[in-house]
Amino acid sequence: MRVISGIYKRRRFDVPRSFKARPTTDFAKENLFNVLSCKYFDFEDDEICALDLFAGTGSISIELVSRGCNPVISVEKDRDHYMFIRKIMQEVKTDKCLPLHSDAFKYIRNCRQQFDFIFADPPYELAGIETLPGLIFDNDLLKENGLFVLEHGKQNGFEEHPHFVEKRTYGSVNFSFFA
């Protein structure tokens, strides 16, 4: 796993082979952050509060921290993955990321904070993935002018959501944007 840009640019972290989570590919992550930087956020000047749901290996969380987001809340249910994210953040000596060992759906329902940017990368076959955009907006987790990005497989139907903005595909990775 590699950090694409920011203060930790080119840092690499070895993901244990036993992990079930698949980090977002460097190709997809680089393209996603190019779109985010060109169209939605100025990571250098904006103070961006971010939420990384289904954080997995923490690839997106460390990328957000590297680019200056503060705070970044990283929610991961799997204990080993959560501990790996904590280890990465301790290794880079940052206090800008708060890893939480929690179920993302429970976190969404109980969260009282709003975010500028929310990223979710659930397992593609996860039951209930189609409900995520509704849950984010029903629970008022996005600040005004905020953005929610959902990484997903080939599921269709997100375009029908009232907050859907666009869909981007990089290789076999699909991202749906909601605002």
Side-chain angles (χ1 to χ4, degrees):
M1 176 174 84
R2 178 175 66 98
V3 180
I4 305 296
S5 188
I7 61 174
Y8 305 124
K9 183 177 182 176
R10 295 189 188 102
R11 289 281 306 260
R12 291 186 178 276
F13 302 94
D14 292 325
V15 177
R17 293 186 188 273
S18 61
F19 276 19
K20 297 169 269 186
R22 35 124 192 87
T24 301
T25 66
D26 284 353
F27 174 74
K29 184 167 57 171
E30 187 167 7
N31 281 289
L32 170 65
F33 276 92
N34 284 342
V35 170
L36 293 174
S37 296
C38 292
K39 202 170 177 180
Y40 295 101
F41 297 110
D42 182 345
F43 285 102
E44 292 180 15
D45 291 337
D46 295 341
E47 290 188 23
I48 299 168
C49 176
L51 173 63
D52 183 6
L53 296 167
F54 308 92
T57 62
S59 175
I60 298 297
S61 293
I62 189 66
E63 192 71 43
L64 290 166
V65 169
S66 183
R67 291 169 186 257
C69 295
N70 184 20
V72 175
I73 296 179
S74 183
V75 180
E76 176 52 47
K77 184 177 180 177
D78 183 282
R79 184 184 173 283
D80 292 337
H81 296 185
Y82 157 75
M83 294 302 290
F84 182 74
I85 296 167
R86 283 186 48 140
K87 179 181 163 224
I88 287 172
M89 298 308 167
Q90 289 169 351
E91 196 173 307
V92 299
K93 297 177 175 59
T94 186
D95 61 354
K96 294 179 179 177
C97 181
L98 175 62
L100 297 176
H101 183 216
S102 181
D103 175 82
F105 288 104
K106 287 180 185 174
Y107 181 83
I108 291 168
R109 285 192 296 274
N110 295 315
C111 182
R112 299 297 171 250
Q113 183 175 354
Q114 288 188 315
F115 301 89
D116 300 295
F117 178 63
I118 300 173
F119 181 82
D121 180 10
Y124 292 172
E125 68 284 347
L126 179 73
I129 189 173
E130 71 284 350
T131 67
L132 283 170
L135 289 170
I136 296 295
F137 288 96
D138 291 348
N139 288 285
D140 199 27
L141 296 188
L142 272 183
K143 291 181 182 178
E144 187 174 336
N145 299 319
L147 181 70
F148 168 50
V149 175
L150 174 61
E151 182 176 332
H152 57 88
K154 295 181 181 179
Q155 289 94 338
N156 293 318
F158 293 122
E159 291 85 355
E160 267 79 83
H161 191 278
H163 293 278
F164 178 82
V165 176
E166 66 177 303
K167 181 177 175 182
R168 302 257 177 166
T169 301
Y170 304 109
S172 62
V173 181
N174 298 292
F175 297 100
S176 288
F177 291 64
F178 304 85

